[in-house]
Amino acid sequence: MNNHPLKIIFAGTPDFAASALKALLEQGHDICAVYCQPDRPSGRGKKLIAGPVKQLALGHNIPVEQPLNFKQESSVEQLASYQADLMVVVAYGLLLPQAVLDTPRYGCVNIHGSILPRWRGAAPIQRAIEHGDDESGITIMQMDKGLDTGNMLLKLNCPIEDKETGSSLHDKLAVLGGQAINQYLTDFNPSKFDASNYGEVQDDTLACYAHKLSKQEAEIDWSEGAEQIERRIRAFNGWPVCFTSVNNKRLRVWQAQPGIKPETEQTPGTVTGFSKNGIEVVCGDQKTLLLTHLQPDGSKKMDAAALLNSRKEWFENSPVLGSRG
């Protein structure tokens, strides 16, 4: 039990991190500084926009630091000047050198969106859904020089529902991450801390890597099985969003569900039927998917009924989705 408030530096940038920072502030933790990535240009005007963590920090009058990296000695010296006990890192977006990891008295801990050692890396939430995992969760981890390889300090599990999307699981884990870090800090005992022997060692033989998402891999390959495609559609719901094309017109696919197996073999990607309930497309295993929520380029997301009301001709004569020319 920690009876002495810790002086904490928080490092993170997007919404997922802001949820954890908010939870720490609500519990009254002493956040002496916040680190986040430099502001990025956004929108048509390409104006520099502060990220969610920076906005939250400024709203609480917390000093904000935004170094490009920690390659400059002055950046590490600035970090050390805060004399922090602990650095809490979540979705920061920068690799931290050993000099940074060693600066706070009790090192740096990371809020990671999986049950380690499964899904180390940049996209653990989406990869868990894409690969059909039954559960995910949050791991509080003592950071070391490896990528998500440090000792595990606390784990909270979260089931993955049948219709879970990348967006919905992201939001659940964002809340759970705040709960987990507060629980860890409540139970933290400084007198027992030993950076070299603290927490549960990860079993590297059970590790797998969650590669960063790319827009390219979001294009649907209709030669894959229906179940695999449906999982990826759910996983990428949020970003980058799966897409296909119909007569060379790009079409984002936000939601789909199992369809009816066709009676005869057809080319993967063939539209086998459509109604207000969805657009049915045959997949590589000759099962079909019913595409229920879609988005043509230049339009908003809509259900199949709305799409067919304005673009029914796109799906007549059994076109093959994704085909070129």
Side-chain angles (χ1 to χ4, degrees):
M1 187 75 175
N2 180 26
N3 295 318
H4 302 285
L6 298 177
K7 194 175 182 183
I8 297 170
I9 289 176
F10 185 90
T13 303
D15 284 325
F16 191 83
S19 181
L21 177 57
K22 181 181 178 182
L24 290 170
L25 291 170
E26 288 175 346
Q27 288 296 309
H29 290 290
D30 179 10
I31 310 298
C32 61
V34 161
Y35 276 70
C36 52
Q37 292 242 355
D39 299 348
R40 306 296 188 194
S42 180
R44 293 183 178 180
K46 296 299 180 182
K47 294 182 179 180
L48 291 178
I49 302 297
V53 166
K54 180 178 179 179
Q55 294 181 40
L56 182 59
L58 294 177
H60 286 79
N61 298 314
I62 301 171
V64 174
E65 305 286 351
Q66 296 178 274
L68 285 174
N69 51 52
F70 286 95
K71 294 180 180 179
Q72 302 296 323
E73 187 175 343
S74 59
S75 296
V76 180
E77 290 175 349
Q78 177 64 37
L79 181 75
S81 71
Y82 287 107
Q83 298 182 317
D85 295 307
L86 184 71
M87 187 169 180
V88 174
V89 182
V90 50
Y92 181 27
L94 285 181
L95 290 175
L96 302 182
Q98 193 65 45
V100 170
L101 300 179
D102 293 339
T103 295
R105 180 180 301 178
Y106 303 116
C108 302
V109 299
N110 178 243
I111 304 173
H112 185 75
S114 80
I115 300 299
L116 291 171
R118 186 163 180 80
W119 300 126
R120 296 171 178 172
I125 296 172
Q126 295 83 0
R127 299 305 181 193
I129 296 174
E130 183 184 15
H131 286 78
D133 290 6
D134 293 327
E135 67 175 6
S136 181
I138 291 291
T139 303
I140 306 297
M141 174 195 68
Q142 189 76 35
M143 297 178 70
D144 62 13
K145 63 181 179 180
L147 180 61
D148 300 329
T149 58
N151 287 3
M152 299 176 292
L153 308 172
L154 183 147
K155 291 182 279 189
L156 295 181
N157 291 48
C158 175
I160 297 178
E161 307 295 339
D162 290 342
K163 300 301 180 182
E164 199 83 72
T165 67
S167 292
S168 65
L169 185 57
H170 167 282
D171 293 348
K172 289 179 182 178
L173 293 183
V175 173
L176 194 63
Q179 296 172 358
I181 190 61
N182 276 328
Q183 182 176 328
Y184 170 71
L185 293 174
T186 297
D187 297 337
F188 179 69
N189 188 339
S191 66
K192 295 184 178 180
F193 178 78
D194 177 356
S196 62
N197 185 26
Y198 195 71
E200 177 188 355
V201 176
Q202 294 190 42
D203 184 348
D204 291 340
T205 65
L206 301 177
C208 58
Y209 184 65
H211 293 275
K212 185 178 180 179
L213 302 178
S214 70
K215 291 182 180 179
Q216 291 75 20
E217 67 175 319
E219 182 170 10
I220 297 173
D221 178 359
W222 294 105
S223 69
E224 295 181 337
E227 183 178 338
Q228 184 175 356
I229 295 173
E230 189 271 340
R231 288 201 308 261
R232 187 173 294 118
I233 289 170
R234 287 191 289 109
F236 291 6
N237 181 317
W239 196 90
V241 185
C242 284
F243 68 92
T244 188
S245 60
V246 51
N247 298 323
N248 293 322
K249 299 177 181 67
R250 183 183 168 104
L251 189 65
R252 286 183 167 188
V253 181
W254 287 85
Q255 292 180 44
Q257 62 188 46
I260 301 171
K261 183 179 176 66
E263 294 181 1
T264 58
E265 289 191 6
Q266 299 190 53
T267 302
T270 300
V271 174
T272 61
F274 55 84
S275 71
K276 65 179 182 180
N277 295 322
I279 297 159
E280 196 157 35
V281 185
V282 69
C283 303
D285 56 2
Q286 291 300 301
K287 296 180 180 179
T288 62
L289 278 182
L290 193 67
L291 312 184
T292 60
H293 292 78
L294 307 105
Q295 182 181 8
D297 268 357
S299 298
K300 296 180 179 180
K301 179 172 61 174
M302 61 187 75
D303 61 25
L307 179 64
L308 292 170
N309 192 43
S310 59
R311 298 171 175 87
K312 182 179 178 181
E313 69 277 5
W314 285 11
F315 306 98
E316 294 175 335
N317 302 317
S318 302
V320 178
L321 302 188
S323 61
R324 310 298 182 183

